[in-house]
Each structure stands twice: as structure tokens, then as C-alpha cells.
Amino acid sequence: MNVNKSNGMMNFSEIYKSKSGGLVALAWASLFAAVSCAPGAPEPYGALPSEAQVEWQKMETNMFVHFGPNTFTSAEWGDGTESADVFAPSDLDCRQWAATAKAAGMKGIIITAKHHDGFCLWPNPVCAHTVAQSSWMDGKGDVLRELALACREYGLKFGVYISPWDRNDPHYGTDEYNDVFRQTLESALGNYGEVFEQWFDGACGEGPNGKRQVYDWDLFNSTVFKMQPHAVIFSDVGPGCRWVGNEYGSAGRTCWGTMNIGDGTPGSHISQEQLNSGEMDGTHWVAAETDVSIRPGWFWRESENSRVKSLQHLMKIYYESVGRNSLLLLNVPADTRGHIHEIDSVRLMEMRAALDEVFSVDLADGASVEASHVRGHGRRFAVENLLDADYDSYWTVDDDVLTPSFTLSFDTPRVFNRIMLQEYIPLGQRVTGFSAEALGTDGKWREIARETTIGYKRIVLIPETEAEALRISITGALACPVLNRVALYLDRVSGVAPDEPLFHAGSSCAGSSSDNGGVVTEDEVLEIGCPTAEIIASSKAKVLDLGGIRTASGFFYAPADKGKDGCVITYDLDISTDGNTWTPVFRDKMFDNIVNNPILQEVRFPSQVELRYIRMTPLRTSSPDTYAVSAFGILAE
């Protein structure tokens, strides 16, 4: 007897048709009774994703493109005083961006339509700092239009980043600005077709009038939904998706799609740990988005062409984002031509080739599968559903079963080092823990992994294993587990080591290290062009003696790995030729975005200087009364 697993109804065309009408009637009655007694689908559990949020997570990888005046000034955060004419791409080609993203397997592109400097990449009618005021294309250029058209041509979705912080607009810091920003959103979201994601940065600082803005987030979000009803809104607290809590590309080993956001607003200081792991009992569905740059910084700099992340690093990021119930938003900034740089593009193609090689062959194909439990003992929710490609078919169990297991058996031993599991998130995220055991060729079962959450997708990295069978046991769940996929893969190309075993809930992995471009250990000195330099004093200030008079065009600083022990946020910088008379270079200057992205920062002097000593005095640090230095030195020509 066949069962259609999409709706659970039996195919009665194969029922034996007896000449005895009574027997036929009895058969039909028995069959309908069996169908009517079969349990339906499990009730949804907890906070649930919308259809748009499910489709968003299915995208898995998208491209972020940082592009604007900072591309031409090498600033990380522009201050809004730059001339509009600074923005001057020599050969803007958004079709090249889209072709690159498509070839890399990405599903969408999000562009920094307006960064903190307030410069708009489209002719925003309520802003005086836009492409319309620049000499590029005689003021008739429109990057949003070019990119939206390119995305449609290549079958990609189109999204926008629009920062509410504006270091140029004179209204910033007043009640009037919120309405100006509303009109900015309407302009960007109303003229370029469908927008799949609105990316809000929670940054907030003083404007040109010296005042901080109180953002009207209810107005901003309602405007987005009015213009783009199906858009997913990104911020610290969603409502569509949340920041993962770091910029080095790692979701938590425990990562829930749910959080208790309460009255939180973007930039409201929800802890990075909370953002990284989510919350098991969260009242809202706000899955994590992992935003990370292919380069140390977010905007393109020629000096970083040699510091593009390695294939191994990018694959590690993939496993720690997509493989941990998050979406990967990989920043690939456009250069001063308006192109994705060749080095970045080649690395993306290497990453795509590696992903294709790893995930093109599912080593679970052809396996036989048995489960300890099946809901209603029927075929609608059979464990075989785990091996098909239908997203909406799944294996589940009766409501009172929270710790079921299933076993894959192979006709010949399989060799694998990646285990992929998926929960059917339209019914909620349920699993709190699971383990994997392999039956070796010696006939012994051995535990090879123990983890916590699954969510939309979980890829567990294990040592290369040869097994005749694999058993997955759900060790804890908030409601009956609902899984729609299991797959096995062999990765011999990425060089990414297996996850360390995890034996308790709530832990998170530190993830991949920052690319600091050759930074040495804490309290040592890296000085470009002068290896004999040494720190001669290290109380509150850091004073560097270069050993002789040098010509410098700037200096650099890097905190300890991932900001350990604190970062310098604002500082004074002085120079001297004799160690007695000091000349101020910067006062109360900020290392932009260093808390979220604690990488080596290069700061240029207004002009070249001669010096022997350089002194950095921290004014504000991310940890009270402490900070760490892993690199400090001059930029020598």
C-alpha cells in the first residue's frame, strides 16, 4: 500500500477489489479508520519564523559590498566633511559584482547605500551629500539603480544597508532628523524594486551640531514594512534577524534562532555573548546573521590586497556561520574602479570550488535508515524522509518522545568527517542536544560528536571516520524533535580542523582568529621598517623609541586577539625627536569600529613627520582602566 508522504493519504487504487461487496466495504471502513486515527503534524513550538525568515535562511550565503567615499579616502568611518567629489569610481560595473556573487554561489547582495558619513549612493532628495552633488557622471549617477538592475539580471536578491547615524546632515540630533531619515528610507526602498533585507547599523554618535540622535525605531521599522512588506530587517534585535555579536565570522557552538528582545533597540548593549548564542526560551524568532569581511577592514584599501583571508580561513568561517544555524554575509568591497578586486574574486572562486567538492557527494545516499520511534508508526513522518531533498518532508515522533534516535547503515563502510543535520524550523527550534556514534569496522560503537543546538542547519566537524553505521541520538529537546535532513560529507580540501568536543549547553566557541597581517604577541612591537624599535615606557601611555630619527607618514595599533583585555577607543598621540619636547599630532581621536572589529588599524598623519619617539595615551578603553597592545609602530615610507 503506498502512502503519499506530502499529505499522509493512502493510494486506494492498489487495494484488492473483492467480488464480495461486504468484504470491500469492510476493507474501506478499516482503512478510513486507520487514516482518521493517524496523528497529524506536531503543533508548532515556541517562537516561529515567518515565511520570509525561512526563505531568508535558505539563502545561506550573501555578499556584502561596502562602497562609498571611504573607498577613496581609506577611512573606516568617514566624518561627513569629505567632498562629494571624492566619490569617483573610474569604471563602475555592478554587473561584474553580480556575476562574481552568482559564480560564488551567493543568493543576494547588500550594498552600503548610506554609511555613517551620510553620503548616499543614490540621489536622495532629502540629502545634500549624495552622488547628485558629485562630479561623477556629472551628478547623474545612481549606484542603487545599477546594482538593482544587475541583481535582477543575474537572479540575485537586492538589499540595502542604510545607517541612521549621519555625520553630515545638519538635522542630526534633532526631532526633525527622524522624519528626514524616514524620507531617506522611502526613497531607497521605493524606487528600486523588491528589497529582501534592510540592514540597520545601530551606531549612534554626535552630529555636526554636537547632539546625539534619539532614533525613532518604531517609525523606521514601520516605514520599511510599508515600503517592503516582505523585507527582513537586520539589527542587534531584529525584528527580522540579529547581529551574531562579532565581526570575525563565528556563530556560537550553541546558537538559537530565538531571543528575548523585550524593549531592546539597535545599539542597546545586548551582550555579545547573548547575540552569539541566542536564547533557548526566546520569545521572538531573530536568527543570527554572521557579517564578516574578506579583508581586515570593511572598505577596500590597496594596502590590504595582500591580506585577503585565506581559503582555509573562509572555509572555517563558513562552517562557523552556515554550519551553526546562521546566515553568512561575506563582505567583498568594491575598489576605486568600482570593481570587485581580482584577488578577492579569485579567493571567492576558490571557496566555491572547495564547497562544491566537499558538498557535491552526500555519503549518506543509499544508506538504510531505522528509527527508535516514528510518529504514529506511519509513513507520513517516516525516518526515510531524512534522506530526501524535499525541504517540507520530515521525520518526527510522538509528542511525549523527546530523546529518539535513528541509525544509518551502509552496504560498504563510508569514510566521512562532516555530519550535517537540519531541523524543520517552520515548526520551531526544539533540539537542545544530540550525539553521534559510529560503528567501526571492528564492530565497536564509538561516540564521535556531542553537541547542543541544530536549528536550520548544523554541520559538525569530526575526525575522518570510517564507519559501517552511524547513530544520531537526540539527547534533549523542548518538544518532540522534527528533523528534515541528514547528510554526510568528506572534506579533504579546506584544512579546517574538527570541532573540539562540547559537553555542556550554553557554550560558544571563540571561532576563527582575526587577520592582523603579521601582528606579533601582546606587548611586543611590530614596526614597519625599523625592527630595533622598543617600548621604553608602558604605564598608561605607550611610548615607542625608534632608536633614531625616522620619517613617518602615520602609525598603527592593534589590540590583543579579539580585543582580549580591552581596546583603546580614543587617544591622544604625540611625537618627539628627543624624548623631552613633545608635539601633539592627534587629540581625542577615535579608532573607528575597533571594539566590534579589533584588527590592526593604520592611521595617517596630516603630513609626513620626523620623529624618534611616538606616544599614544589612551583616553577611553573598552575595559575599565585596562587595554592591551599587540602591535604599535610607525608607517614608514
Side-chain angles (χ1 to χ4, degrees):
M1 216 172 283
N2 293 335
V3 175
N4 181 335
K5 68 180 179 180
S6 65
N7 57 26
M9 295 301 293
M10 295 183 178
N11 180 357
F12 293 103
S13 64
E14 298 183 6
I15 298 172
Y16 173 72
K17 299 180 176 59
S18 169
K19 292 182 179 179
S20 168
L23 289 176
V24 172
L26 179 61
W28 277 87
S30 298
L31 289 167
F32 277 119
V35 171
S36 63
C37 292
E43 289 295 321
Y45 176 84
L48 300 175
S50 67
E51 182 178 350
Q53 287 173 313
V54 173
E55 294 305 311
W56 172 86
Q57 195 137 18
K58 287 180 180 179
M59 297 175 77
E60 297 195 357
T61 58
N62 292 322
M63 182 184 284
F64 216 177
V65 178
H66 275 62
F67 190 49
N70 296 345
T71 306
F72 303 87
T73 64
S74 295
E76 188 73 359
W77 288 353
D79 63 11
T81 64
E82 58 280 321
S83 168
D85 288 338
V86 164
F87 183 77
S90 59
D91 182 33
L92 179 68
D93 189 354
C94 291
R95 294 182 72 255
Q96 186 251 1
W97 305 4
T100 302
K102 184 76 171 182
M106 296 177 175
K107 302 301 190 295
I109 298 177
I110 299 176
I111 175 71
T112 52
K114 172 184 176 291
H115 207 256
H116 309 326
D117 50 41
F119 187 85
C120 297
L121 298 184
W122 80 102
N124 180 4
V126 295
C127 177
H129 195 42
T130 78
V131 289
Q133 283 75 45
S134 74
S135 55
W136 174 65
M137 294 189 69
D138 297 325
K140 297 180 176 61
D142 188 338
V143 180
L144 265 60
R145 179 184 62 209
E146 298 294 328
L147 182 57
L149 290 172
C151 285
R152 283 199 288 273
E153 178 181 348
Y154 283 87
L156 301 171
K157 294 185 178 182
F158 170 67
V160 292
Y161 166 118
I162 303 178
S163 172
W165 187 14
D166 196 312
R167 303 175 86 173
N168 176 273
D169 195 301
H171 302 101
Y172 189 86
T174 70
D175 291 340
E176 186 178 354
Y177 177 77
N178 283 327
D179 193 62
V180 171
F181 191 70
R182 173 191 62 80
Q183 294 176 73
T184 293
L185 291 172
E186 290 177 344
S187 175
L189 300 175
N191 295 303
Y192 302 99
E194 183 177 354
V195 173
F196 84 96
E197 182 171 346
Q198 167 63 55
W199 217 93
F200 278 136
D201 195 311
C204 182
E206 291 186 356
N209 53 17
K211 298 180 180 178
R212 288 175 64 87
Q213 183 69 36
V214 178
Y215 298 136
D216 188 342
W217 286 109
D218 289 339
L219 173 64
F220 300 166
N221 288 340
S222 64
T223 300
V224 173
F225 288 133
K226 180 183 73 173
M227 307 304 298
Q228 297 287 339
H230 303 296
V232 171
I233 298 177
F234 168 96
S235 79
D236 290 9
V237 294
C241 59
R242 73 177 190 269
W243 182 43
V244 77
N246 60 66
E247 293 183 357
Y248 51 78
S250 184
R253 286 277 289 274
T254 294
C255 189
W256 291 94
T258 54
M259 277 186 58
N260 295 301
I261 60 176
D263 297 325
T265 58
S268 59
H269 306 295
I270 293 177
S271 74
Q272 293 184 340
E273 292 77 12
Q274 181 183 1
L275 292 165
N276 195 237
S277 63
E279 293 178 296
M280 181 172 65
D281 59 349
T283 56
H284 293 75
W285 189 277
V286 277
E289 180 177 79
T290 300
D291 59 312
V292 59
S293 184
I294 198 170
R295 291 164 172 256
W298 287 95
F299 287 90
W300 182 85
R301 298 178 183 84
E302 187 174 14
S303 63
E304 293 182 354
N305 284 350
S306 62
R307 299 168 67 193
V308 173
K309 287 179 171 60
S310 67
L311 172 62
Q312 181 180 6
H313 196 160
L314 290 176
M315 289 293 286
K316 184 174 178 65
I317 287 171
Y318 177 86
Y319 284 127
E320 295 186 1
S321 55
V322 177
R324 292 183 178 174
N325 190 34
S326 180
L327 181 144
L328 172 58
L329 181 61
L330 181 62
N331 180 61
V332 188
D335 63 20
T336 53
R337 297 170 298 177
H339 292 189
I340 301 300
H341 195 274
E342 298 89 309
I343 295 174
D344 306 58
S345 179
V346 168
R347 193 58 42 81
L348 288 176
M349 297 310 106
E350 292 173 350
M351 182 182 181
R352 182 70 262 159
L355 289 170
D356 288 344
E357 182 169 343
V358 173
F359 294 104
S360 61
V361 177
D362 179 1
L363 296 166
D365 282 350
S368 61
V369 57
E370 295 180 348
S372 63
H373 301 76
V374 173
R375 189 174 183 84
H377 306 288
R379 294 185 60 186
R380 178 182 178 188
F381 306 112
V383 71
E384 288 84 0
N385 295 347
L386 290 171
L387 298 176
D388 68 27
D390 183 353
Y391 181 80
D392 293 310
S393 74
Y394 50 83
W395 164 66
T396 188
V397 295
D398 294 334
D399 291 339
D400 61 347
V401 178
L402 301 182
T403 56
S405 64
F406 63 87
T407 302
L408 302 174
S409 299
F410 313 118
D411 51 1
T412 58
R414 307 286 172 93
V415 178
F416 55 91
N417 57 10
R418 305 288 186 259
I419 302 172
M420 191 271 281
L421 296 168
Q422 289 188 269
E423 284 186 84
Y424 186 62
I425 60 173
L427 294 179
Q429 188 175 352
R430 299 159 179 250
V431 174
T432 62
F434 66 96
S435 67
E437 299 167 278
L439 178 63
T441 55
D442 59 0
K444 296 181 180 180
W445 286 96
R446 294 179 177 85
E447 185 173 276
I448 56 176
R450 181 172 288 267
E451 293 289 344
T452 55
T453 49
I454 297 176
Y456 166 75
K457 177 173 284 189
R458 184 63 185 269
I459 303 173
V460 182
L461 281 60
I462 61 171
E464 191 166 303
T465 299
E466 183 177 19
E468 294 184 347
L470 174 71
R471 182 164 58 219
I472 302 294
S473 299
I474 305 302
T475 58
L478 303 173
C480 63
V482 183
L483 274 62
N484 63 346
R485 187 74 194 279
V486 60
L488 305 175
Y489 302 102
L490 180 61
D491 179 355
R492 288 177 172 169
V493 297
S494 74
V496 180
D499 292 337
E500 292 298 321
L502 179 70
F503 294 103
H504 55 90
S507 291
S508 61
C509 178
S512 55
S513 60
S514 300
D515 267 344
N516 281 351
V519 172
V520 295
T521 57
E522 184 178 349
D523 292 329
E524 293 182 345
V525 178
L526 172 67
E527 193 278 323
I528 298 175
C530 186
T532 60
E534 61 175 343
I535 292 177
I536 60 173
S538 57
S539 52
K540 183 177 180 181
K542 290 291 184 186
V543 181
L544 186 64
D545 181 0
L546 302 175
I549 302 295
R550 301 294 304 277
T551 300
S553 58
F555 81 103
F556 60 86
Y557 156 72
D561 187 38
K562 300 181 182 66
K564 179 183 177 183
D565 299 324
C567 305
V568 176
I569 299 175
T570 59
Y571 61 92
D572 289 341
L573 191 89
D574 303 277
I575 60 174
S576 174
T577 56
D578 58 12
N580 296 312
T581 303
W582 294 89
T583 302
V585 180
F586 297 120
R587 285 292 177 266
D588 198 16
K589 190 170 178 62
M590 177 184 290
F591 289 119
D592 294 332
N593 199 36
I594 198 164
V595 175
N596 293 333
N597 193 26
I599 62 170
L600 184 144
Q601 294 218 6
E602 298 179 358
V603 181
R604 298 286 171 174
F605 297 148
S607 59
Q608 286 191 349
V609 298
E610 290 191 342
L611 74 164
R612 173 172 174 171
Y613 302 90
I614 181 170
R615 180 176 66 199
M616 179 176 67
T617 305
L619 303 178
R620 183 160 61 96
T621 59
S622 59
S623 297
D625 302 319
T626 183
Y627 69 99
V629 176
S630 66
F632 177 47
I634 66 167
L635 300 173
E637 296 299 320

